[in-house]
């Protein structure tokens, strides 16, 4: 089926293409960092176990300790010892720590329950780095002193860029923002040059950012405007000069929109009431989804959820 005019307009809109390009770079970054983070956090856990007293190397059968958001007051001797050690390696020990992410009784036996103390909010159900996006992995590098990064501001800059992207509710960023992002991501790759899976990525990331992502409809003989869905996008379109590896355009759009919605729901959970500006953002996002019928079919339930945020 030919793609609708609206769909082609969206895919060829400069700001939206920029937004998608940056999102794809972060997707690449996340996929290259996951294996590294997994290995490092397993090593870190082994190091902590070797420092802990023999009695605290096993789960404490009578542990009844409970976490609540940013609050944790360990009650059993094992959790008390682990809490102290975990905090010794936390670079933000006097700021917000999202204890609610983890189950303390599992610290002696599960490396990822320890790692979750260094993650941002909203990772209670995370079972490993494979479920984490780039922002979560970079936050872990930023918060845990196991990671030796000479210039940590380069990590923080990309976390900020990712927040810009996820707070752009019209799903666009301008070209000067993208250029700046490109520079910052190259600086991050230089900083993380000890990560084997990132070593050869600088060039590919640059290519993602500088290539023309314009989309053409290959099915031009059909009547335009009668429909077309997200899955048709990948069957029928071609980038003029570029192809994504390991991810379809369809999947990329859905992945980024899911992340953006997740951020929005977390904000609502944290602040309970959304500000005037946030409500405008929700309305902008809602109208974007309503206007793009192909996306609407995927995110129909989300539209109802967004309505509840507006009420
Ligand atoms: Zn306990």
């Amino acid at each position: 089926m030919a793609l609708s005019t609206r769909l082609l307009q969206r895919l060829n809109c400069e700001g939206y293409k920029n937004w998608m390009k940056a999102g794809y770079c972060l997707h690449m970054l996340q996929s290259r960092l996951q294996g590294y983070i997994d290995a490092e956090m397993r090593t870190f856990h082994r190091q902590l176990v070797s420092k802990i007293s023999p009695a605290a190397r096993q789960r404490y059968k009578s542990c009844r300790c409970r976490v609540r958001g940013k609050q944790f007051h360990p009650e059993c001797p094992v959790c008390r010892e682990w809490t102290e050690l975990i905090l010794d390696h936390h670079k933000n020990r006097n700021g917000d720590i999202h204890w609610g992410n983890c189950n303390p009784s599992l610290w002696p036996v599960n490396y990822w329950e320890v790692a979750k103390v260094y993650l941002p909010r909203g990772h209670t159900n995370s079972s490993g780095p494979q479920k984490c996006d780039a922002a979560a992995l970079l936050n872990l590098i930023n918060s845990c002193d196991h990671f030796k990064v000479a210039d940590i501001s380069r990590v923080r800059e990309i976390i900020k860029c990712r927040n810009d992207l996820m707070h752009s509710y019209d799903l666009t960023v301008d070209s000067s923002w993208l250029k700046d992002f490109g520079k910052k991501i190259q600086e991050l790759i230089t900083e993380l040059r000890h990560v084997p899976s990132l070593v050869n990525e600088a060039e590919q990331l640059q290519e993602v950012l500088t290539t023309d992502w314009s989309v053409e409809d290959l099915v031009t003989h059909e009547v335009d405007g009668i429909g077309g869905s997200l899955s048709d996008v990948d069957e029928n379109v071609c980038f003029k000069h570029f192809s994504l590896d390991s991810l379809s355009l369809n999947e990329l759009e859905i992945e980024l929109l899911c992340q953006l919605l997740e951020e929005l729901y977390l904000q609502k959970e944290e602040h309970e009431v959304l500000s005037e500006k946030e409500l405008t953002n929700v309305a902008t996002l809602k109208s974007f989804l309503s206007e793009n019928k192909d996306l609407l079919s995927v995110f129909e339930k989300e539209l109802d959820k967004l309505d509840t945020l507006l009420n």
Side-chain angles (χ1 to χ4, degrees):
M1 184 186 283
L3 301 176
S4 73
T5 310
R6 178 72 194 105
L7 179 54
L8 280 170
Q9 262 172 6
R10 177 176 91 236
L11 296 176
N12 288 319
C13 160
E14 200 59 33
Y16 188 68
K17 280 192 291 183
N18 290 341
W19 188 79
M20 293 270 284
K21 283 179 182 183
Y24 184 63
C25 285
L26 292 176
H27 171 89
M28 277 178 69
L29 190 63
Q30 129 194 356
S31 70
R32 308 310 191 258
L33 281 175
Q34 281 163 338
Y36 166 74
I37 296 286
D38 187 60
E40 289 302 318
M41 290 321 283
R42 285 177 193 276
T43 304
F44 178 60
H45 187 259
R46 279 196 297 274
Q47 288 167 353
L48 296 193
V49 169
S50 72
K51 286 183 200 163
I52 215 116
S53 70
R57 289 178 190 173
Q58 306 287 329
R59 289 185 73 177
Y60 188 64
K61 286 197 179 68
S62 315
C63 171
R64 298 277 179 275
C65 303
R66 291 283 172 272
V67 288
R68 196 161 176 272
K70 297 173 198 166
Q71 303 292 322
F72 181 49
H73 304 290
E75 283 165 22
C76 80
V78 172
C79 288
R80 271 200 291 273
E81 206 179 321
W82 273 93
T83 300
E84 215 168 291
L85 196 57
I86 287 170
L87 284 176
D88 276 349
H89 292 277
H90 208 302
K91 290 196 266 177
N92 191 29
R93 59 176 299 162
N94 298 318
D96 287 345
I97 296 181
H98 297 278
W99 298 104
N101 282 338
C102 59
N103 176 351
S105 74
L106 293 174
W107 285 337
V109 293
N110 186 323
Y111 82 106
W112 195 247
E113 288 302 323
V114 171
K116 279 154 77 171
V117 184
Y118 303 95
L119 289 180
R121 72 202 191 293
H123 285 85
T124 312
N125 299 321
S126 157
S127 54
Q130 304 306 331
K131 303 280 176 205
C132 290
D133 61 24
L137 301 174
L138 293 174
N139 267 291
L140 177 53
I141 293 175
N142 182 45
S143 300
C144 179
D145 73 1
H146 172 73
F147 297 97
K148 311 289 181 221
V149 180
D151 186 354
I152 199 70
S153 72
R154 290 179 167 183
V155 173
R156 291 181 188 151
E157 283 299 324
I158 295 298
I159 296 174
K160 271 193 229 158
C161 287
R162 190 266 183 187
N163 289 342
D164 288 348
L165 212 59
M166 289 296 127
H167 295 154
S168 168
Y169 292 92
D170 63 354
L171 313 179
T172 64
V173 287
D174 62 39
S175 297
S176 64
W177 183 95
L178 192 71
K179 200 173 165 204
D180 195 40
F181 169 77
K183 190 171 148 267
K184 287 173 178 168
I185 207 154
Q186 292 297 338
E187 286 169 353
L188 178 72
I189 301 283
T190 309
E191 201 59 49
L192 300 179
R193 57 190 170 278
H194 55 282
V195 180
S197 48
L198 273 178
V199 170
N200 299 317
E201 294 304 321
E203 218 170 288
Q204 207 189 332
L205 284 162
Q206 193 56 26
E207 199 188 337
V208 168
L209 294 170
T210 52
T211 310
D212 183 6
W213 277 35
S214 297
V215 158
E216 286 177 298
D217 191 352
L218 299 183
V219 190
T220 49
H221 59 279
E222 288 189 36
V223 179
D224 186 28
I226 52 172
S229 70
L230 264 176
S231 56
D232 294 327
V233 172
D234 293 308
E235 279 171 31
N236 292 344
V237 305
C238 71
F239 289 131
K240 280 178 184 154
H241 307 291
F242 185 69
S243 69
L244 297 175
D245 70 348
S246 77
L247 191 73
S248 67
L249 186 62
N250 172 342
E251 290 164 336
L252 177 62
E253 280 193 298
I254 293 175
E255 183 179 298
L256 293 175
L257 276 164
C258 284
Q259 285 180 18
L260 190 135
L261 287 162
E262 191 57 34
E263 279 285 323
L264 194 61
Y265 301 144
L266 281 170
Q267 265 177 50
K268 167 74 174 172
E269 210 177 284
E270 202 165 30
H271 304 300
E272 287 182 15
V273 180
L274 294 177
S275 68
E276 203 62 36
K277 187 171 181 290
E278 286 163 336
L279 287 173
T280 311
N281 291 337
V282 174
T284 307
L285 186 60
K286 204 178 150 241
S287 78
F288 174 85
L289 290 175
S290 310
E291 281 165 17
N292 290 278
K293 303 294 177 212
D294 59 303
L295 288 175
L296 193 57
S297 63
V298 181
F299 289 100
E300 208 160 4
K301 278 188 189 148
E302 302 296 334
L303 219 55
D304 295 339
K305 220 167 156 184
L306 287 176
D307 271 335
T308 63
L309 294 186
L310 286 171
N311 294 322

